[in-house]
Amino acid sequence: MQPWGLLPVLEEENGFRLHESRTICRYITEKYADQGTQLPMDLEARGLFEQGLAMEAGAVDPCVFAALNEKLFKPFKTGAPCGDELYIVLLKRVELVLDVYEVILGEQRYIRENVSHRTSLPFDSYKLIVLCQQHSLADIY
């Protein structure tokens, strides 16, 4: 269903399928707009919304994924141990990026209230990083 064999995938009852978490979130937001999840129509608000998505996708997510990959997925997929020194460097990078992201979310109300909880998963991923500091993927699953 998903070209890379990853999750998430949304499959509707009519057979319509989407993959990629941000795409799925935007689709659901538009589909259920009558239930209070609509995207902004105002040009400036929509610009801030798009900016928030781009920041998360372009700056936050790659750092989080690199750290998760080193700590969790590399040992699980290849059997190779986590490079502890590399992981520490990656984790510091995650912390720096999330610190900047938090400042931006604090200053831009629309992004904080509408982008971060609908389409952004870096903080949940960061919690996973913390969990992985004490457990292997085999322990979690």
Side-chain angles (χ1 to χ4, degrees):
M1 282 202 268
Q2 207 265 16
W4 297 277
L6 303 172
L7 295 175
V9 174
L10 171 73
E11 184 173 353
E12 295 281 35
E13 290 179 10
N14 66 2
F16 177 71
R17 291 184 189 135
L18 282 176
H19 60 87
E20 301 301 324
S21 57
R22 290 170 197 85
T23 303
I24 292 168
C25 289
R26 291 176 77 165
Y27 171 80
I28 290 170
T29 298
E30 294 274 346
K31 181 176 180 177
Y32 297 102
D34 63 332
Q35 296 180 30
T37 62
Q38 66 192 54
L39 295 174
M41 299 307 290
D42 173 72
L43 184 59
E44 289 181 2
R46 186 64 167 243
L48 288 174
F49 176 83
E50 296 295 338
Q51 178 179 283
L53 288 178
M55 284 186 311
E56 190 276 327
V60 178
D61 191 58
C63 292
V64 170
F65 179 77
L68 279 174
N69 187 58
E70 185 61 33
K71 183 68 174 179
L72 192 72
F73 303 125
K74 183 178 102 177
F76 184 73
K77 287 183 175 182
T78 68
C82 168
D84 290 333
E85 290 179 18
L86 174 59
Y87 177 68
I88 290 169
V89 169
L90 293 171
L91 193 56
K92 286 181 182 184
R93 206 168 109 207
V94 168
E95 290 171 353
L96 289 171
V97 168
L98 289 179
D99 285 347
V100 171
Y101 194 55
E102 185 175 349
V103 169
I104 293 167
L105 291 177
E107 293 172 353
Q108 296 183 13
R109 180 176 168 256
Y110 192 84
I111 294 173
R112 179 182 68 242
E113 294 176 4
N114 294 285
V115 175
S116 61
H117 76 281
R118 289 189 188 159
T119 59
S120 172
L121 305 174
F123 296 103
D124 290 335
S125 297
Y126 186 71
K127 290 176 198 171
L128 185 57
I129 289 172
V130 171
L131 178 65
C132 292
Q133 290 183 20
Q134 300 171 352
H135 303 282
S136 72
L137 188 57
D139 293 337
I140 295 169
Y141 289 98

